[in-house]
Amino acid sequence: MKPEQSANSYAIGEGKKYLLITFGCQMNEHDSEVICSVLESLGYSAVLTAEEADLIIINTCAVRQKPEDKVTSLLGKYYALKQENKELIIAVGGCMTQQEEAARYIRDRFHHVNIVFGTHALPRLPLLLEAAINYKGTIIDIDEDYTGREELTAAHSSTFKAWLPVIYGCNNFCSYCVVPHVRGRERSRHGEDILKEAKSLAARGYLELTLLGQNVNSYGQDLAGDYTFAGLLRDMNYVEGLKRIRFMTSHPKDLSPELIEAVRSGDSICEHFHLPVQSGSNRILKNMNRGYSREHYIKLVNMIKDSIPGVSITSDIIVGFPGESEEDFQATLDLLKTVRFDNAFSFIYSPRKNTTAAAMREQLSHGEKEERLQRLNEVQHAISSELNLQLEGSTVEVLVEGPSKNNIDMQTGRTRTNKLVHFPGSSDLTGKLVNINISEAKTWNLAGVLEGENS
Ligand code: 5AD
Ligand code: SF4
């Protein structure tokens, strides 16, 4: 059912409260900021507990099974809340529910859910909410029409750093990945629109922007003309007031020397590449449909390291892809030791519906995958510690994000290379650039002392 346009939607949240729960990647976090903005324009205000909420929205992730399981478990818990408060509206959206099977499963299994919506439905959220107030069944909107999506603004959760999407969707169809199925084909935003938004954020005092896309390197390929991601970065570098420009995620198959040069020469462009390799075995890379070889990847990393002193390189790795032999896995361990990533996010292969890898025979047992994950993490943790140790005694620039979770006298922030730093200091440093002398390196973060403010 698709709701009809109505003139009354604007007031439907007046005096009401919403709880928004987000799973998944940065793009999903950005979508959640857009959802917040839509809800707040309708009069809703945010709360932190389900008990206080008139509206609960879960923004889901479908990349692996675990976050999907967490959503169904949460929905089970909310059944009791709905029994106590029949007016409560529960909505489930995002990548998981963009899949028709999952959308139907939620409708049939959890009758207390009012709205199931997909990744393209954000502009229609007011109409869906209004319809749900008057309709007792479950409304589903997984239409692929995204008209109006770009015009929606985000309610940024920070006053000094923000996400800025540059390209939506993905065309790559890596054989394990559900993303192209739930986020559609690549759609680049126009350069002028991105730069206009960047300038407006900078004018409002934002210091750091992260350019987002499933594969930022294919930015512009679907637009007329020959504007590339490297060109966009060069233009971003001249936006007055911006001190740090980040970008993610880069696909190794189309990372160009022009992009490396743009990062090297752009003062505001941070020296960090998140460049997922996924596997070190050519046989597995081919079965993953990644479009590059181990040798090509190593060559790219060497080019980046040679051009940009002090650069950090992080990666994603999948262990236990179908048919991964001990020899293939050894090739991945060997690649980790050759490249020496600053950090690698490792994942157990999770079969996803409608992907070609899920249909491959030779699926590994959970035990085998777990064991490989542990061995891989041991190797990577040692490398991360060694690389961090090299920073002891040096001074790094940190953008302060606020007090650390466990100790309000300690502040937390990130280096240009995206490393987490803790230091003793007061919370009025939040949102400022400071210099920190690193006194102690750990596997996951660095500790240091404040030398002075930088801006
Ligand atoms: N199983 C495990 N990990 C996956 N990723 C994507 N799809 C899967 C899957 N089916 C990982 C990849 C990707 C990261 C965002 O999630 O490593 O880079
Ligand atoms: Fe998934 Fe591959 Fe696209 Fe990344 S590039 S979103 S892994 S299909």
Side-chain angles (χ1 to χ4, degrees):
M1 171 185 167
K2 221 173 157 184
E4 295 301 317
Q5 188 84 33
S6 153
N8 295 329
S9 340
Y10 67 89
I12 57 174
E14 220 56 68
K16 293 191 182 156
K17 300 187 164 60
Y18 75 92
L19 170 72
L20 175 60
I21 298 167
T22 307
F23 292 92
C25 66
Q26 288 81 3
M27 194 58 102
N28 232 29
E29 283 181 26
H30 170 75
D31 280 354
S32 279
E33 291 186 345
V34 170
I35 293 174
C36 288
S37 166
V38 170
L39 296 179
E40 280 159 27
S41 73
L42 295 171
Y44 286 97
S45 53
V47 287
L48 295 175
T49 67
E51 287 69 24
E52 294 169 89
D54 302 290
L55 165 67
I56 300 176
I57 301 195
I58 310 178
N59 190 10
T60 63
C61 168
V63 162
R64 285 172 289 276
Q65 187 60 40
K66 233 189 217 165
E68 289 204 356
D69 292 344
K70 284 192 191 152
V71 169
T72 45
S73 135
L74 266 180
L75 288 177
K77 278 196 208 149
Y78 294 155
Y79 177 76
L81 281 179
K82 183 81 174 203
Q83 294 311 304
E84 283 164 27
N85 173 12
K86 296 281 185 207
E87 303 299 304
L88 174 67
I89 303 274
I90 301 179
V92 190
C95 288
M96 173 182 176
T97 42
Q98 183 64 44
Q99 308 167 99
E100 207 173 320
E101 265 174 77
R104 274 204 242 111
Y105 172 76
I106 289 180
R107 179 194 60 193
D108 297 342
R109 167 84 179 71
F110 302 100
H111 293 159
H112 55 296
V113 170
N114 301 74
I115 306 169
V116 176
F117 64 99
T119 53
H120 307 291
L122 304 194
R124 298 183 290 278
L125 208 48
L127 303 171
L128 290 165
L129 287 166
E130 193 178 13
I133 292 169
N134 303 309
Y135 179 69
K136 290 296 154 233
T138 307
I139 300 164
I140 298 189
D141 179 352
I142 54 171
D143 203 295
E144 288 177 9
D145 175 7
Y146 48 82
T147 313
R149 169 66 182 83
E150 272 216 41
E151 285 78 55
L152 296 178
T153 52
H156 300 289
S157 50
S158 156
T159 52
F160 52 89
K161 60 173 201 166
W163 313 116
L164 188 51
V166 300
I167 177 168
Y168 301 103
C170 181
N171 288 358
N172 292 311
F173 288 95
C174 299
S175 64
Y176 51 81
C177 187
V178 77
V179 168
H181 305 269
V182 294
R183 292 232 171 226
R185 295 297 72 72
E186 286 174 358
R187 299 164 315 270
S188 300
R189 294 180 66 195
H190 287 288
E192 309 91 80
D193 294 341
I194 299 167
L195 287 162
K196 202 169 134 203
E197 201 175 331
K199 284 177 191 159
S200 146
L201 287 163
R204 282 150 57 200
Y206 283 80
L207 298 179
E208 179 179 294
L209 298 184
T210 303
L211 309 186
L212 286 184
Q214 248 70 44
N215 174 12
V216 289
N217 300 341
S218 53
Y219 173 79
Q221 281 171 16
D222 56 322
L223 297 175
D226 49 14
Y227 198 44
T228 59
F229 186 60
L232 177 65
L233 273 187
R234 282 195 296 269
D235 288 343
M236 291 289 296
N237 188 50
Y238 293 111
V239 175
E240 211 172 310
L242 289 184
K243 302 284 188 227
R244 291 177 164 199
I245 296 152
R246 301 188 181 285
F247 55 96
M248 67 189 312
T249 292
S250 291
H251 195 304
K253 110 181 129 57
D254 38 25
L255 189 145
S256 64
E258 191 198 359
L259 175 66
I260 300 174
E261 177 53 26
V263 177
R264 188 198 66 77
S265 59
D267 294 341
S268 328
I269 317 223
C270 290
E271 299 77 16
H272 170 223
F273 285 78
H274 183 58
L275 193 61
V277 64
Q278 314 296 1
S279 169
S281 150
N282 278 334
R283 198 176 70 83
I284 297 293
L285 285 173
K286 187 153 181 291
N287 292 345
M288 286 178 162
N289 192 30
R290 287 292 287 173
Y292 56 86
S293 66
R294 167 194 177 93
E295 292 72 26
H296 174 79
Y297 188 90
I298 293 173
K299 212 165 97 191
L300 265 183
V301 166
N302 288 338
M303 255 165 78
I304 295 171
K305 286 187 180 170
D306 289 346
S307 313
I308 309 167
V311 68
S312 77
I313 302 179
T314 55
S315 202
D316 293 341
I317 316 270
I318 295 177
V319 299
F321 183 81
E324 184 188 75
S325 64
E326 176 61 27
E327 196 185 338
D328 294 318
F329 178 64
Q330 286 295 338
T332 300
L333 293 183
D334 185 71
L335 181 106
L336 291 189
K337 292 175 195 160
T338 306
V339 171
R340 293 174 66 75
F341 293 115
D342 288 82
N343 200 355
F345 302 91
S346 48
F347 306 104
I348 284 184
Y349 168 70
S350 171
R352 307 282 69 209
K353 283 211 180 72
N354 301 318
T355 61
T356 53
M360 293 177 182
R361 278 178 275 131
E362 294 192 88
Q363 300 282 335
L364 274 71
S365 72
H366 191 71
E368 271 173 300
K369 294 194 249 187
E370 278 278 3
E371 191 252 353
R372 285 190 186 160
L373 183 76
Q374 268 185 28
R375 284 160 67 198
L376 182 125
N377 284 344
E378 263 170 44
V379 171
Q380 181 54 43
H381 295 172
I383 294 169
S384 295
S385 301
E386 282 163 26
L387 293 179
N388 281 348
L389 209 59
Q390 291 173 6
L391 292 171
E392 278 190 2
S394 68
T395 296
V396 292
E397 182 202 83
V398 168
L399 177 58
V400 186
E401 296 190 354
S404 108
K405 274 186 211 127
N406 319 323
N407 180 352
I408 61 156
D409 297 326
M410 291 293 280
Q411 303 303 310
T412 298
R414 284 190 185 266
T415 63
R416 286 174 65 94
T417 53
N418 210 31
K419 291 181 192 266
L420 206 57
V421 178
H422 302 295
F423 66 95
S426 82
S427 57
D428 45 327
L429 290 172
T430 302
K432 297 208 162 117
L433 286 166
V434 296
N435 286 327
I436 301 293
N437 189 265
I438 301 302
S439 49
E440 194 189 350
K442 302 179 192 154
T443 310
W444 309 117
N445 55 54
L446 304 162
V449 289
L450 180 67
E451 280 192 345
E453 272 187 46
N454 205 7
S455 58

